[in-house]
């Protein structure tokens, strides 16, 4: 993962760093989508955004959010 990638910059601006586990609300805020959209993506497997389920709670590794942002970024 690049140190100055788009995803890394967005995560840093939101006040998070790599290695953290994000709640769906935090991940949705960073990705500029609603929490319900993340739930739909998980259910339909629309994107390969990694998540982990601990008990009844969902968490997103910061690295997975960065990778998703970087994969969705197009160079002009």
């Amino acid at each position: 993962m690049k140190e100055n990638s788009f995803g890394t910059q967005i995560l840093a601006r939101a006040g998070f760093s790599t290695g953290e586990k994000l709640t769906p609300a935090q991940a949705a805020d960073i990705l500029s989508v609603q929490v319900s959209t993340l739930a739909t993506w998980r259910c339909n497997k629309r994107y390969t955004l990694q998540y982990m389920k601990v008990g009844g709670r969902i968490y997103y590794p910061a690295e997975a959010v960065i990778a998703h942002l970087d994969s969705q970024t197009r160079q002009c």
Side-chain angles (χ1 to χ4, degrees), residues 1-18 27 29-32 62-76:
M1 186 176 341
K2 295 179 187 173
E3 196 62 36
N4 291 323
S5 71
F6 177 73
T8 305
Q9 293 173 11
I10 296 296
L11 196 73
R13 274 191 223 145
F16 299 102
S17 62
T18 58
D29 186 47
I30 291 167
L31 295 171
S32 299
E63 292 81 4
V65 174
I66 291 169
H68 179 76
L69 285 168
D70 290 342
S71 73
Q72 298 299 311
T73 305
R74 296 182 183 90
Q75 297 290 332
C76 295

Side-chain angles (χ1 to χ4, degrees), residues 26-70:
Q26 293 168 329
D29 186 47
I30 291 167
L31 295 171
S32 299
V33 298
Q34 294 186 8
V35 174
S36 61
T37 301
L38 289 177
T40 301
W41 290 356
R42 282 193 312 269
C43 180
N44 296 334
K45 297 180 173 67
R46 175 160 181 158
Y47 295 105
T48 57
L49 181 59
Q50 294 178 349
Y51 66 93
M52 61 183 119
K53 192 169 186 179
V54 179
R57 295 180 183 244
I58 302 289
Y59 296 98
Y60 293 90
E63 292 81 4
V65 174
I66 291 169
H68 179 76
L69 285 168
D70 290 342

